[in-house]
Structure formats: structure tokens, C-alpha cells
Amino acid sequence: MTDDIAIRPITDDDVESVVVLWEACGLTRPWNDPRDDIARARGSLEAVILVAERDGEVVGTVMVGHDGHRAWMYYVAVAPALQGTGLGRQLVKAAEVWAAATGMQKMHLLIRPENGKVRGFYESIGYAEQPRVMMAKWLDGRPLDP
Ligand SMILES: CC(C)(COP(=O)(O)OP(=O)(O)OC[C@H]1O[C@@H](n2cnc3c(N)ncnc32)[C@H](O)[C@@H]1OP(=O)(O)O)[C@@H](O)C(=O)NCCC(=O)NCCS
């Protein structure tokens, strides 16, 4: 089903399609312009956004970056019509290959508590929960939402 799909780095022409895909997948938040995230990742040597393209359309994404020690994945997204066809697995594999090529030995990701249903996806492809406490602070002094 996914043989006709190419996974490659994002280009300028993909940006708006990527934003539409992230919105369709529920990955955007009102306080965060995804175009800024895309621009920052594209401007970094420590990150890449990979897109899956089929028939000229963006049907999947993964953003992957590293902090010099660990790799992190963000914006793992598959177009709703193609979910369940193995594309998510392919995208994560591509992110892992990129991370390993940069010298990273471990991949991390965060799941929002309200998105617990994707836990099964990550477990199916070899990921497991590693208990840690995540702490955060807005740098402009805003109170942190729960
Ligand atoms: C999560 C997501 C990327 C998975 O991609 P996908 O293409 O649907 O997943 P795949 O078809 O590659 O599935 C790979 C494996 O995970 C399993 N899987 C997929 N979704 C699952 C779920 N919700 N619960 C349990 N298992 C699941 C599949 O059955 C498959 O296992 P198998 O190979 O043993 O049969 C996709 O559903 C998506 O874009 N969701 C919305 C965005 C999102 O929540 N992203 C994650 C942010 S943390």
C-alpha cells in the first residue's frame, strides 16, 4: 500500500500542505504557529522535517532533532485516509535512520495525556514508557497550564 510513497526532506512548496496535515491530525495548538516550528527546524543543522509524498501530495511527516545526546521525534503524522497502512511505522523508521546517522543512540518522544490512543502505535513499533517527570516554564512569565 505504501510502495508508491517517497520519504524526503521538506521543501518550501510543502509548508502549507504540512500545516494542513498537522491540523487534520490534531497536532497544532492555538498558541503555537506551526510555520515557526517548521522554519526553526529547517534552519537548524540538528533537526530535519521529513515528509511522505504520494502522487504529489504530502501524506505524512515526522520532525526529528537531537540535543547532542538524545534524539527526539515530533509531529509524527499520517493523513487520516492512510492511517493504519504502515506509513507511520515507515516515518518513524526514517527518523531513526536520520538520528543514528547523526550519532544518536536513543530516540525519545512525548505523548500528550489526551492522546493516549497513540501509545499502542508506539508500543507496536518497539517503544516503551520510560518514567520521567517533565518540568517546564514559560520564559515570558506566563503561568503554566496544567
Ligand atoms: C499515530 C500515527 C502516526 C500512526 O500512523 P499509522 O500509519 O496509522 O500507523 P501504522 O499503520 O504504521 O501502524 C504501525 C503499527 O501500530 C499499530 N497501531 C497504529 N495505531 C494504533 C493505535 N491507535 N493503537 C494501537 N496500535 C496502533 C498498527 O496496528 C501497526 O501494528 P502492526 O504492524 O503490528 O499491525 C497516525 O495514526 C496519526 O497520524 N495519528 C494522528 C497524529 C498523532 O497523534 N501523532 C502522534 C503524536 S505523539
Side-chain angles (χ1 to χ4, degrees):
M1 173 83 192
T2 52
D3 288 352
D4 53 347
I5 291 179
I7 296 178
R8 56 163 178 77
I10 190 172
T11 66
D12 288 346
D13 290 344
D14 299 321
V15 172
E16 289 310 311
S17 307
V18 166
V19 172
V20 168
L21 175 66
W22 289 354
E23 285 170 351
C25 286
L27 296 180
T28 54
R29 291 295 176 272
W31 59 85
N32 186 35
D33 186 341
R35 292 168 191 83
D36 291 343
D37 287 1
I38 292 170
R40 274 190 293 268
R42 293 184 69 197
S44 168
L45 294 175
E46 283 86 40
V48 69
I49 301 174
L50 300 173
V51 302
E53 179 189 333
R54 190 177 78 159
D55 296 335
E57 280 189 38
V58 172
V59 292
T61 63
V62 59
M63 180 190 290
V64 55
H66 72 80
D67 59 16
H69 182 67
R70 314 165 187 82
W72 286 86
M73 275 187 300
Y74 316 86
Y75 290 114
V76 180
V78 170
L82 289 180
Q83 288 178 9
T85 64
L87 181 53
R89 177 194 294 275
Q90 276 184 257
L91 284 161
V92 169
K93 184 70 203 171
E96 291 170 352
V97 167
W98 180 91
T102 67
M104 298 301 111
Q105 298 187 6
K106 194 163 171 235
M107 182 69 83
H108 295 73
L109 62 107
L110 292 172
I111 300 176
R112 288 178 181 274
E114 68 270 21
N115 196 9
K117 66 179 184 177
V118 302
R119 188 185 174 115
F121 162 68
Y122 288 114
E123 286 173 348
S124 291
I125 59 172
Y127 286 75
E129 182 175 342
Q130 191 167 39
R132 297 286 185 270
V133 175
M134 190 186 105
M135 299 191 72
K137 175 185 166 185
W138 285 108
L139 299 184
D140 62 7
R142 264 178 284 178
L144 201 60
D145 290 333

